[in-house]
Amino acid sequence: MPKERFDLLSLQEAMDILGVSRATIDRWRKDKKLPHIKIGKEIWIDKNKLQAWVHLHSRTQAEDQEARKYESAASSSAQVITVGYQSGAALLWSTLVIKSLGTFDEELRISSPSTEYKVRWLNAPNGMELVEQLIGGNVQIASVGDYPIIASRALSHILSRFNPLFLAFDGKTRNGGGISLVVPSRSAINRPEELSGVAIATVGNSSASYRLREWSEAFGITSEPVEHRTMGECLNGIMAEEVGASVLWEPYLSWIQSIGAGIPVLSEGIGGDYLTGLMADGNWAQGNEDVVIAYLKAHLRAHDFIRNEPARAAKIISDASGFPVAIVAGVLSQIRWDASLYNRDLQTLNRLSEVQSDRLPARSESRHGEGFALGKHYLQNAAEALKLPGLPDTPLPGEWSREILY
């Protein structure tokens, strides 16, 4: 039968697998973008796409339980440190390794054995939400992409009490690798130029939306409207074929290709590297240097673990994030795990800041021209404590080195 050849489930078969009623599955099709295909009056569901959709939505309950656990801990006498992270952003997966292996807790015990700390972890859907938490004092250390990094810098020019501090880089990919425009697999679109007039979904105010703007200018794409969604909703939009294209970052990019639901039409950026890093509240960091250095030691250890034990790292990240281990392993190998500061990285951030200056809050005259606030000495102290080769006071020159990795 045709449905067997295409590995399709009838609506009743899908209801039986999920154990839900017709009313529930109809609501999920409408509200949660459950992928489906309508042929005449019949509704079919692709088995592989259903599995991916279930993985995507099954993590919510566990995360809610974890949040309640840490809320109760906050009422104790321990000093609470909140670390913001994004399990859905592959270039920031080092945080999942730190959390799963308990290396930050371990380094805190080493640095301050007489102080009781409680580490709280906040999983956010995007980096700008973590920037808001930094501004509000609810998060002390956050893992974010390059757009939130430069947005923090811009916001500090109009929020006098906000003092964002850049601590270290995290995952890096060359020339924008790791973010791509993706169209549904049955789309007739083959080139970026053909996307004009097509609805494109992206995460608003993110590294993805910044790349979309660059691509649009480079290829003359005029897309109205651009739909701002979560990354999961961008993925679902392609799977359900309800948008013409979505900007996906890893691991969503590899995942949608693995199930045959989407095809990248643009795999590289327009000249700029894709960078991520650690931000902290600078005012808090000044009074908590031991804590900052302890986290950076855990950060450097996570990078070393991912580089030298990729199979174990992939299993840990898969368990923590819900993404298939094969997808995680493939993505990890494409990322440069390197905390160190290169001139090329700072130039990329400054270029991004200049390009986005008309989209972000204007600088006040008193702080005009300031560069990024860099906590270089924290990273240097962390490297020294781990007996790693010393980092210089100035950014590293030249291209990324295969030997100099932190």
Side-chain angles (χ1 to χ4, degrees), residues 96-155:
L96 298 185
V97 173
I98 295 170
K99 180 184 176 187
S100 299
L101 295 181
T103 47
F104 183 32
D105 303 83
E106 180 183 325
E107 293 294 348
L108 285 171
R109 289 192 294 271
I110 293 171
S111 64
S112 305
S114 61
T115 304
E116 183 183 1
Y117 291 102
K118 189 66 183 181
V119 181
R120 181 175 180 267
W121 301 90
L122 177 64
N123 191 7
N126 60 72
M128 286 308 296
E129 182 171 312
L130 291 177
V131 171
E132 292 173 8
Q133 296 293 333
L134 277 173
I135 292 172
N138 302 314
V139 164
Q140 286 73 52
I141 300 172
S143 296
V144 296
D146 45 21
Y147 181 95
I149 290 171
I150 63 101
S152 298
R153 175 192 184 187
L155 288 168

Side-chain angles (χ1 to χ4, degrees), residues 2-66:
K3 80 178 187 71
E4 293 171 340
R5 286 202 306 271
F6 290 102
D7 211 12
L8 299 178
L9 300 171
S10 69
L11 202 58
Q12 185 60 54
E13 288 171 331
M15 290 161 54
D16 292 341
I17 289 172
L18 297 172
V20 298
S21 66
R22 174 62 185 264
T24 296
I25 207 165
D26 284 342
R27 186 176 72 253
W28 285 352
R29 285 167 49 212
K30 179 181 178 182
D31 298 337
K32 295 190 175 183
K33 313 302 180 186
L34 177 68
H36 62 278
I37 301 168
K38 192 169 184 180
I39 305 174
K41 295 183 179 180
E42 296 295 324
I43 296 173
W44 305 94
I45 296 177
D46 184 287
K47 188 183 296 184
N48 293 322
K49 292 182 180 180
L50 177 63
Q51 183 181 15
W53 182 89
V54 169
H55 269 291
L56 189 67
H57 289 81
S58 63
R59 302 200 309 272
T60 305
Q61 184 177 359
E63 289 170 357
D64 289 344
Q65 291 172 348
E66 184 176 25

Side-chain angles (χ1 to χ4, degrees), residues 14 34 52 61 85 87 107 136 145 170 186 202 208 213 232 243 268 284 320 341 344 351 365 384 387 390 403:
L34 177 68
Q61 184 177 359
Y85 70 104
S87 64
E107 293 294 348
D170 201 359
R186 298 193 298 180
T202 187
R213 185 185 178 202
V243 294
E268 293 187 340
W284 169 85
L341 279 65
R344 70 177 278 168
R351 171 180 166 273
E365 289 300 319
E384 181 181 349
K387 303 187 185 308
E403 289 75 31

Side-chain angles (χ1 to χ4, degrees), residues 66-76 120:
E66 184 176 25
R68 287 193 292 272
K69 178 179 70 175
Y70 284 109
E71 283 171 4
S72 62
S75 62
S76 71
R120 181 175 180 267

Side-chain angles (χ1 to χ4, degrees), residues 70 109 118 174 198 258 291 356 371 405:
Y70 284 109
R109 289 192 294 271
K118 189 66 183 181
R174 191 181 298 276
V198 173
S258 73
V291 176
Q356 291 295 93
L405 287 165

Side-chain angles (χ1 to χ4, degrees), residues 71-87:
E71 283 171 4
S72 62
S75 62
S76 71
S77 59
Q79 182 177 336
V80 178
I81 303 159
T82 303
V83 179
Y85 70 104
Q86 300 168 68
S87 64

